[in-house]
């Protein structure tokens, strides 16, 4: 089955650029996420991490 996909992709001009664009998007996303985690305020992280443990006694309708 891979030979059918490879055969179709070889007929497309400039198809090699798409994996590079995908890798670049992937890399930029995780670098930005890492940067946000490093610069996030510790109080915000603590507040968000306690959300599942809070008991508001609110009834969901």
């Amino acid at each position: 089955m891979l030979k059918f996909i490879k055969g179709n992709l070889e007929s497309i001009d400039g198809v090699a650029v798409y994996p590079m664009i995908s890798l670049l998007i992937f890399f930029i996303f995780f670098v930005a996420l890492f940067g946000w985690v490093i610069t996030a305020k510790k109080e915000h992280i603590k507040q968000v991490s306690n959300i599942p443990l809070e008991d508001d006694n609110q009834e969901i309708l």
Side-chain angles (χ1 to χ4, degrees):
M1 181 169 176
L2 186 59
K3 64 182 175 181
F4 296 119
I5 295 171
K6 185 178 178 184
N8 288 336
L9 289 177
E10 287 175 347
S11 65
I12 301 172
D13 290 332
V15 75
V17 75
Y18 294 114
M20 293 304 295
I21 291 172
S22 299
L23 180 64
L24 187 64
I25 291 171
F26 178 82
F27 184 74
I28 289 172
F29 173 77
F30 280 103
V31 166
L33 186 66
F34 182 73
W36 179 82
V37 167
I38 294 299
T39 60
K41 294 181 180 177
K42 302 305 177 201
E43 182 60 34
H44 175 71
I45 299 296
K46 186 179 282 187
Q47 180 183 5
V48 172
S49 67
N50 287 329
I51 288 175
L53 303 175
E54 291 177 358
D55 187 21
D56 291 338
N57 293 329
Q58 293 179 354
E59 196 171 311
I60 299 174
L61 300 176

